[in-house]
Amino acid sequence: MRSYLAAAIQMTSVPDLKKNLAEAEELIDLAVRQGAELIGLPENFSFLGEEQDKMAQAEAIAQESEKFIKTMAQRFQVTILGGGFPVPVGNGKVYNTAVLVGASGEELARYEKVHLFDVNVPDGNTYQESVTVLAGLQMPPVHPSKDLGNLGLSVCYDVRFPELYRHLSQMGAEVLFIPAAFTAYTGKDHWQVLLQARAIENTSYVLAPAQTGRHYAMRQTHGHAMIIDPWGTVLADAGDKPGVAIAAIEPSRLEQVRRQMPSLRHRVFM
């Protein structure tokens, strides 16, 4: 692992596949021009709309999303995480799938979101992700990269389940991806503190791409895509508009924090 710049992209995705991919391409280009070598796209980066519209277009969304990530990675010679898009499973449902792609356009890792967002939010909105999404059955993977470090995958609601990140840290994760479309209501109270907790307790970097603003009807997200260091310090915050959070991933900082706070070595219950 060497020092490099990482980027967490922030979007306001809408129910328009082509428009979203065009916005994502612009933001990837912006991140690359600022020197980013590892780039994360948020959950639902390619489509964020009503469930029936998503399901009607699921096959096209899946194909175009995967093709897009591979094309962008190869064109810009960077590693990209597509933070979550629907992949049909053949029974009228989809997996909420995150795919990590390397600089030559090859798939490095894939994760199907295991924790589904079935929640009655206190602002009056109800979310039932399980109506259209099938929960993944496998714990998320860690991809070992010689240059970029050990990259652990997760998606959005996973952030509330620390045991998933403990699994990733036990697998050697040094950078935790947490792409999200966090609701505006819960985000204002919980988003940053949860990200910092996952960074601190696992002494790992957190790369958290995000959705922001109003997407359709009542759907509004919190924004604040972030990069957080292993001490819990927020290195970059994209605010509440579409854009990019960029910060350095420093192996020397990772080693320093893990040496000063060796909590991973002090675990008793494994």
Side-chain angles (χ1 to χ4, degrees):
M1 182 181 180
R2 55 169 172 75
S3 299
Y4 63 92
L5 290 178
I9 285 178
Q10 183 155 288
M11 299 178 63
T12 304
S13 297
V14 294
D16 185 327
L17 177 61
K18 287 186 178 180
K19 183 176 181 180
N20 295 330
L21 294 183
E23 181 187 10
E25 183 173 353
E26 288 181 11
L27 292 169
I28 291 169
D29 180 66
L30 175 63
V32 170
R33 282 190 279 113
Q34 294 182 49
E37 297 181 63
L38 178 65
I39 298 172
L41 291 165
E43 184 184 32
N44 301 322
F45 71 93
S46 54
F47 190 91
L48 187 47
E50 300 284 359
E51 290 301 294
Q52 64 268 24
D53 296 332
K54 178 187 80 176
M55 296 306 293
Q57 302 176 56
E59 194 70 52
I61 295 169
Q63 291 176 1
E64 290 300 315
S65 299
E66 195 162 328
K67 178 184 174 184
F68 173 80
I69 303 164
K70 291 178 177 179
T71 300
M72 291 297 105
Q74 197 164 20
R75 178 189 301 172
F76 292 110
Q77 290 294 288
V78 293
T79 298
I80 299 178
L81 179 80
F85 57 91
V87 175
V89 293
N91 63 352
K93 289 195 173 186
V94 298
Y95 282 129
N96 186 344
T97 306
V99 175
L100 184 69
V101 173
S104 60
E106 79 284 16
E107 181 176 315
L108 302 175
R110 176 178 292 247
Y111 167 59
E112 291 149 355
K113 184 180 179 185
V114 298
H115 297 109
L116 303 184
F117 193 59
D118 290 356
V119 178
N120 296 316
V121 180
D123 65 357
N125 285 319
T126 296
Y127 300 88
Q128 291 290 323
E129 189 175 14
S130 65
V131 170
T132 59
V133 178
L134 193 65
L137 298 175
Q138 303 295 323
M139 288 290 265
V142 173
H143 172 70
S145 168
K146 183 163 94 50
D147 290 332
L148 306 177
N150 296 330
L151 310 175
L153 274 54
S154 68
V155 176
C156 199
Y157 190 46
D158 285 336
V159 76
R160 295 182 182 273
F161 300 87
E163 64 274 14
L164 183 144
Y165 297 91
R166 189 55 96 206
H167 159 78
L168 291 173
S169 73
Q170 286 178 231
M171 297 281 288
E174 296 164 321
V175 178
L176 302 170
F177 273 111
I178 310 179
F182 230 71
T183 71
Y185 187 91
T186 58
K188 63 183 172 56
D189 296 326
H190 295 167
W191 171 244
Q192 182 172 327
V193 71
L194 284 168
L195 295 179
Q196 288 177 298
R198 299 298 84 87
I200 292 165
E201 69 198 6
N202 296 292
T203 51
S204 298
Y205 280 94
V206 162
L207 185 62
Q211 292 283 352
T212 190
R214 189 169 294 280
H215 309 276
Y216 63 91
M218 296 292 290
R219 187 69 187 270
Q220 189 169 356
T221 53
H222 175 64
H224 295 278
M226 290 185 182
I227 299 176
I228 298 174
D229 86 352
W231 191 255
T233 302
V234 177
L235 302 178
D237 180 339
D240 60 3
K241 305 294 183 193
V244 181
I246 290 188
I249 306 298
E250 301 278 3
S252 59
R253 177 60 172 161
L254 187 74
E255 291 162 11
Q256 177 192 34
V257 172
R258 290 187 171 184
R259 184 174 63 252
Q260 292 173 339
M261 184 59 66
S263 55
L264 291 180
R265 289 194 279 112
H266 293 161
R267 287 170 294 178
V268 176
F269 302 109
M270 303 287 282

